[in-house]
Amino acid sequence: MRNIDSYTHTRGESVYLDDIPLTAGTLFGAVYGSPVAHGKILKLDLSEAEAMEEVVRIFTYRDIPGKNQIGGIVPDEPLLAEDEVHYNGMPVALVVATSVEAAQSAVKKIKIEVEQHTVVTDPRIAQKNGSLLVPPRTFKLGDTQKAFESCAHIFEGIAETNGQEHLYIETQGAYALPAENAAIKVYSSTQGPTAVQRHMADVLGIPMHRIEVDVTRLGGGFGGKEDQATSWAIFCGLATYHLKKPVKYCLHRMEDMRMTGKRNPYSSDFKIGLDKDLKIIAYEVTFFQNAGAAADLSPAVLERTLFHCTNSYFVPNVKATAYSCRTNLPPNTAFRGFGGPQGMFVIEAAIAKAAEGLGIAASEIQKKNLIQTGEEFSYGQKAESEAIVCWEKVQSLYDVEKIKSEINAFNTSNTLYKKGMSFMPICFGISFTKILMNQARALVHVYTDGSVSISTGAVEMGQGVNTKMLQVAAAIFSISPNKIKVNSTNTYRIANTSPTAASAAADLNGKAVQIACEKILERIKAVAAEILKCGSSVIEINGEKIYANKEVADLSWDQLVMAAYLKRVNLSEHGHYATPGIHFDNTIEKGHPFAYHVYGTAITTVTIDCLRGTYEVDAVKLVHDFGTTMNAIVDKGQIEGGVVQGIGWMTMEEIVYDAEGRLRSNALSTYKVPDIYSVPKELNIHYLETLNDNLAIFRSKAVGEPPLMYGIGTYFALRNAIKAFNPNSNIGFFAPMTPEKLLMGLYSSTK
Ligand code: MTE
Ligand code: LUZ
Ligand code: MOS
């Protein structure tokens, strides 16, 4: 089934925040962000801005009626700076004016005096200074120290990954409207409607039931709106609270890039030990996460880095330590993969280093260490593994031997162009690592004409979750999708939602829809049994027709629904689902945190131009573990988008902050994202259908985040191409592999 939004998307009729018709009297907000990254505010001069005729009011922290606090995991983030600033762009004041232009120009008239303090942008320096957001964490399995003694080969090194700008097409924004009895309705471009509601209630000092958050869809979120949509909504809410007027604020792209956090950059130390048969015996890793100036979601991101630090390999002795380091950058945050990709890059670097040291292909080590069913991850969960199946399927399906010999032939006959290839196995755990977040609710109404409406806590952001919700209801009731409508995500209809994140929205909300539909169906079937004078158990509904004892009855779905209504049967249901069987004890860092894992393997081939340092991705060919996909088209879109986003992170997207903590890559002219030319010339996806039971909705495994990690393969394919040109290149493991870095790598030498 096609994405239900495709019709309105292609006609330009889909409604995003900025498409909501404005109510008369709407005012416009703009935030004044600190011009320096660290210091003490000595003086804030608003006078010139306030004197502007179009300026209605300028708010500072003094205008906050409740708590000046929006920290989610750690309460360490004020909505508006009080007497200190901790990053360039940190909100200091909110201007509200009669037009967008006036608000923006008033912001430019605000003056500030700041006593500047030392700016730290490097997580290793922050760690040395003892500047951590939360205490460090260590995951341990076996005894690495002892194991290293018996290793035939040991390799050590450093690996670094940079951040990544979310670059959702729709920037952050919100629109707040006053409602009666001092309530506020907020349209917000957020993945977490409840987070907006809860934090706004705290900041305004009012109960949550007075705040209605409504989300139709996002023009992309990618994690950037899991936590960081909140402040913009509260700014609008704060102004509405005081002025009793509708207030809207959609960020300009450059404001968004400057003021919001990105994927957490990491710098890491690794040490890997192998035996003579290339089995990885021991792995030690220390992660220095660049968290930025406040915790935001970074401690949770850090946790997932630890969970995925051995990727899809079984390593019997692991010691992984992670530091969440406070720096003077905007608080970094969730981004597709949520720390997983950062952890996986490091073990892939370790394996590449070992392979180069031993003069073999990395795949020799990779394939020998793939995790098997029953083997244990460092956090105690036993694998139900598809790692080897995916790996072997890739070999046979895509004729890897032929690809290898073609690359060798190409590299022998070309001096200024080289090709490289890599294998990238992935393994990603599905569930929020915070157990309590793994719950969801859905509200299903069947109307008297037989049509159905669904509301859930899931937010549509392009990933097609609404289409999947609709499919669930259509399948359970066995009615046409045309009879069903999925509504906006609204905190008055669905309460206490977890954010749409962790790739788990379709599973959690889909199961809640299933539960609600099944309950209604049971009641409707009882009515059919009464009408047809038979037992409920012999009633079946199929394609809107009612069957009793396999015989079609003279009763349609629509008629049956009406009959149920006339009998005063409840045609609505509120379903609740909580993932069973998951647990984690962080005092010992062991448990069973994930409902299941998603596996896959990609082969990537690239060609590099050894004069210019430019490159092309020739092909990404992959085998992906879908369980049993419930929507092959939607899932294909997720894989394609994820792969290209991963390639962008690994090759061209380069976030640059200067020593003063100022973002230099602050526009699309200075920050390169993948475009149509960056898409691999060939992208083959094989749907591995696995029949094992799992906790996914209709056994269709979560697909949102995992494919991003295939992009890591491009980095290593490029590296192999460099080595084909210059085996002595001393290029390290520093992503992204920009053309500049690649060119330097080609002509560098260890000798
Ligand atoms: N796909 C699109 N088109 N837009 C997005 O913003 N976000 C990704 C992924 N795919 C995203 C996307 C991220 S970060 C997550 S966690 C999942 O979608 C969330 O949706 P799901 O739980 O329904 O998979
Ligand atoms: N968000 C979150 C996530 O709060 N917890 C998670 O475990 C997670 N995982 C992936 C993406 N977002
Ligand atoms: Mo996705 S990083 O869980 O929003």
Side-chain angles (χ1 to χ4, degrees), residues 166 191 221-226 263 297 301 304 333-339 428 432 461 499-504 704-705:
H166 299 87
Q191 292 173 239
F222 305 110
K225 297 171 181 170
E226 181 176 342
R263 183 189 290 286
L297 290 164
V301 171
R304 197 175 269 279
T333 193
F335 196 133
R336 203 172 195 171
F338 204 77
F428 196 76
F432 286 95
M461 46 189 180
T500 289
S503 306
E705 295 169 282

Short mmCIF file of all heavy atoms in Angstrom, two decimals, residues 166 191 221-226 263 297 301 304 333-339 428 432 461 499-504 704-705, ligand 3:
data_model
loop_
_atom_site.label_atom_id
_atom_site.label_comp_id
_atom_site.label_asym_id
_atom_site.label_seq_id
_atom_site.Cartn_x
_atom_site.Cartn_y
_atom_site.Cartn_z
N HIS A 166 20.48 17.95 11.41
CA HIS A 166 19.29 17.17 11.04
C HIS A 166 18.74 17.57 9.67
O HIS A 166 18.28 16.74 8.90
CB HIS A 166 18.20 17.32 12.09
CG HIS A 166 18.61 16.83 13.45
ND1 HIS A 166 19.27 17.64 14.34
CD2 HIS A 166 18.48 15.63 14.04
CE1 HIS A 166 19.51 16.94 15.45
NE2 HIS A 166 19.06 15.71 15.29
N GLN A 191 8.32 15.76 17.68
CA GLN A 191 8.19 14.30 17.76
C GLN A 191 7.61 13.90 19.12
O GLN A 191 7.22 12.76 19.31
CB GLN A 191 9.56 13.63 17.60
CG GLN A 191 10.18 13.78 16.22
CD GLN A 191 11.60 13.26 16.16
OE1 GLN A 191 12.51 14.01 15.83
NE2 GLN A 191 11.83 11.99 16.48
N GLY A 221 12.00 14.97 11.08
CA GLY A 221 12.42 15.19 12.47
C GLY A 221 13.81 14.60 12.68
O GLY A 221 14.72 15.27 13.12
N PHE A 222 13.95 13.32 12.33
CA PHE A 222 15.23 12.60 12.40
C PHE A 222 15.86 12.64 13.79
O PHE A 222 17.06 12.50 13.94
CB PHE A 222 16.21 13.13 11.35
CG PHE A 222 15.66 13.09 9.94
CD1 PHE A 222 15.33 14.25 9.26
CD2 PHE A 222 15.41 11.86 9.33
CE1 PHE A 222 14.78 14.20 7.98
CE2 PHE A 222 14.86 11.80 8.05
CZ PHE A 222 14.55 12.97 7.37
N GLY A 223 15.05 12.86 14.81
CA GLY A 223 15.57 12.94 16.18
C GLY A 223 15.71 14.38 16.65
O GLY A 223 15.71 14.65 17.85
N GLY A 224 15.83 15.30 15.71
CA GLY A 224 16.06 16.71 16.06
C GLY A 224 14.87 17.36 16.74
O GLY A 224 14.98 18.43 17.33
N LYS A 225 13.70 16.69 16.63
CA LYS A 225 12.51 17.25 17.27
C LYS A 225 11.98 16.32 18.36
O LYS A 225 10.83 16.42 18.76
CB LYS A 225 11.44 17.54 16.21
CG LYS A 225 11.88 18.59 15.19
CD LYS A 225 10.91 18.70 14.02
CE LYS A 225 11.40 19.74 13.00
NZ LYS A 225 10.59 19.70 11.74
N GLU A 226 12.85 15.39 18.82
CA GLU A 226 12.43 14.52 19.92
C GLU A 226 12.40 15.33 21.21
O GLU A 226 11.48 15.23 22.00
CB GLU A 226 13.39 13.32 20.05
CG GLU A 226 12.98 12.37 21.17
CD GLU A 226 13.83 11.11 21.27
OE1 GLU A 226 14.52 10.76 20.30
OE2 GLU A 226 13.79 10.47 22.34
N ARG A 263 23.67 15.78 15.89
CA ARG A 263 24.18 14.47 16.32
C ARG A 263 25.41 14.71 17.20
O ARG A 263 26.24 15.55 16.89
CB ARG A 263 24.57 13.63 15.10
CG ARG A 263 25.05 12.22 15.48
CD ARG A 263 25.62 11.46 14.30
NE ARG A 263 24.64 11.05 13.31
CZ ARG A 263 23.77 10.06 13.46
NH1 ARG A 263 23.75 9.35 14.57
NH2 ARG A 263 22.91 9.77 12.50
N LEU A 297 19.25 14.89 25.54
CA LEU A 297 19.12 13.43 25.50
C LEU A 297 20.48 12.73 25.52
O LEU A 297 20.55 11.50 25.41
CB LEU A 297 18.34 13.01 24.26
CG LEU A 297 16.85 13.36 24.26
CD1 LEU A 297 16.26 13.26 22.86
CD2 LEU A 297 16.09 12.42 25.21
N VAL A 301 21.66 8.84 24.69
CA VAL A 301 22.43 8.56 23.46
C VAL A 301 23.69 7.77 23.82
O VAL A 301 24.05 6.78 23.17
CB VAL A 301 22.79 9.88 22.74
CG1 VAL A 301 23.76 9.64 21.59
CG2 VAL A 301 21.53 10.60 22.24
N ARG A 304 23.04 4.15 24.46
CA ARG A 304 22.86 3.34 23.25
C ARG A 304 24.21 3.10 22.56
O ARG A 304 24.41 2.07 21.92
CB ARG A 304 21.82 3.95 22.31
CG ARG A 304 21.32 2.95 21.28
CD ARG A 304 20.21 3.51 20.41
NE ARG A 304 18.87 3.26 20.92
CZ ARG A 304 18.19 2.12 20.78
NH1 ARG A 304 18.71 1.10 20.12
NH2 ARG A 304 16.99 2.00 21.27
N THR A 333 21.98 16.14 20.50
CA THR A 333 20.70 15.46 20.77
C THR A 333 20.54 14.19 19.95
O THR A 333 21.47 13.73 19.28
CB THR A 333 19.55 16.46 20.52
OG1 THR A 333 18.34 15.95 21.06
CG2 THR A 333 19.36 16.78 19.05
N ALA A 334 19.33 13.65 19.98
CA ALA A 334 18.97 12.46 19.20
C ALA A 334 19.19 12.71 17.71
O ALA A 334 18.93 13.81 17.22
CB ALA A 334 17.51 12.11 19.44
N PHE A 335 19.70 11.73 17.04
CA PHE A 335 19.74 11.74 15.58
C PHE A 335 19.74 10.29 15.13
O PHE A 335 20.58 9.50 15.58
CB PHE A 335 20.99 12.46 15.06
CG PHE A 335 20.90 12.84 13.59
CD1 PHE A 335 21.25 14.11 13.18
CD2 PHE A 335 20.46 11.94 12.63
CE1 PHE A 335 21.16 14.48 11.84
CE2 PHE A 335 20.37 12.29 11.30
CZ PHE A 335 20.72 13.57 10.89
N ARG A 336 18.81 9.96 14.28
CA ARG A 336 18.66 8.62 13.68
C ARG A 336 19.84 7.69 14.02
O ARG A 336 20.95 7.89 13.53
CB ARG A 336 18.53 8.78 12.18
CG ARG A 336 17.84 7.62 11.47
CD ARG A 336 17.59 8.00 10.02
NE ARG A 336 16.64 7.11 9.39
CZ ARG A 336 16.12 7.32 8.18
NH1 ARG A 336 16.46 8.37 7.50
NH2 ARG A 336 15.26 6.48 7.67
N GLY A 337 19.56 6.71 14.85
CA GLY A 337 20.60 5.79 15.31
C GLY A 337 20.98 6.02 16.75
O GLY A 337 21.39 5.11 17.46
N PHE A 338 20.88 7.31 17.19
CA PHE A 338 20.89 7.65 18.61
C PHE A 338 22.12 7.08 19.33
O PHE A 338 22.00 6.37 20.33
CB PHE A 338 19.60 7.09 19.23
CG PHE A 338 19.14 7.77 20.50
CD1 PHE A 338 18.50 9.00 20.45
CD2 PHE A 338 19.31 7.18 21.74
CE1 PHE A 338 18.04 9.62 21.61
CE2 PHE A 338 18.84 7.79 22.91
CZ PHE A 338 18.20 9.01 22.84
N GLY A 339 23.31 7.38 18.83
CA GLY A 339 24.53 6.91 19.49
C GLY A 339 24.99 5.55 18.99
O GLY A 339 26.16 5.21 19.11
N PHE A 428 20.79 -3.59 15.37
CA PHE A 428 20.22 -2.46 16.13
C PHE A 428 19.09 -2.96 17.02
O PHE A 428 18.19 -3.66 16.56
CB PHE A 428 19.71 -1.40 15.14
CG PHE A 428 19.46 -0.05 15.77
CD1 PHE A 428 20.52 0.78 16.09
CD2 PHE A 428 18.17 0.37 16.04
CE1 PHE A 428 20.29 2.04 16.67
CE2 PHE A 428 17.93 1.62 16.62
CZ PHE A 428 18.99 2.46 16.93
N PHE A 432 12.87 1.63 23.39
CA PHE A 432 13.54 2.72 24.09
C PHE A 432 14.39 2.07 25.16
O PHE A 432 13.93 1.13 25.84
CB PHE A 432 12.52 3.63 24.78
CG PHE A 432 11.75 4.52 23.84
CD1 PHE A 432 10.51 4.14 23.37
CD2 PHE A 432 12.27 5.74 23.46
CE1 PHE A 432 9.79 4.97 22.51
CE2 PHE A 432 11.56 6.57 22.60
CZ PHE A 432 10.32 6.18 22.13
N MET A 461 6.20 11.75 10.42
CA MET A 461 7.24 12.71 10.01
C MET A 461 7.86 12.31 8.69
O MET A 461 9.03 12.62 8.41
CB MET A 461 8.29 12.87 11.11
CG MET A 461 8.80 11.61 11.74
SD MET A 461 9.82 12.06 13.16
CE MET A 461 10.31 10.47 13.74
N PRO A 499 7.83 9.96 22.92
CA PRO A 499 8.09 10.59 21.62
C PRO A 499 8.09 9.54 20.51
O PRO A 499 8.28 8.35 20.76
CB PRO A 499 9.47 11.20 21.79
CG PRO A 499 10.09 10.49 22.94
CD PRO A 499 8.97 10.08 23.82
N THR A 500 7.83 10.00 19.31
CA THR A 500 7.96 9.10 18.17
C THR A 500 9.44 9.00 17.87
O THR A 500 10.04 9.92 17.32
CB THR A 500 7.14 9.63 16.98
OG1 THR A 500 5.77 9.46 17.33
CG2 THR A 500 7.44 8.88 15.71
N ALA A 501 10.03 7.90 18.32
CA ALA A 501 11.48 7.78 18.28
C ALA A 501 11.85 6.31 18.49
O ALA A 501 10.96 5.46 18.65
CB ALA A 501 12.11 8.63 19.37
N ALA A 502 13.15 6.08 18.47
CA ALA A 502 13.68 4.74 18.72
C ALA A 502 13.15 3.71 17.71
O ALA A 502 13.15 2.52 17.99
CB ALA A 502 13.40 4.29 20.16
N SER A 503 12.69 4.20 16.58
CA SER A 503 12.12 3.35 15.51
C SER A 503 10.92 2.55 15.99
O SER A 503 10.45 1.65 15.30
CB SER A 503 13.17 2.38 14.94
OG SER A 503 14.31 3.09 14.52
N ALA A 504 10.43 2.87 17.16
CA ALA A 504 9.47 1.99 17.82
C ALA A 504 8.03 2.46 17.69
O ALA A 504 7.12 1.84 18.24
CB ALA A 504 9.84 1.85 19.30
N GLY A 704 13.03 2.31 10.91
CA GLY A 704 13.34 3.74 10.83
C GLY A 704 14.81 4.09 10.90
O GLY A 704 15.33 4.82 10.05
N GLU A 705 15.49 3.58 11.90
CA GLU A 705 16.88 4.00 12.10
C GLU A 705 17.93 3.06 11.51
O GLU A 705 18.96 3.53 11.00
CB GLU A 705 17.16 4.18 13.60
CG GLU A 705 16.37 5.29 14.23
CD GLU A 705 16.47 5.26 15.74
OE1 GLU A 705 15.80 4.44 16.37
OE2 GLU A 705 17.26 6.05 16.28
MO1 MOS B 3 14.88 8.91 16.18
S1 MOS B 3 16.81 9.47 16.64
O1 MOS B 3 14.71 7.95 17.58
O2 MOS B 3 14.04 10.28 16.56
#
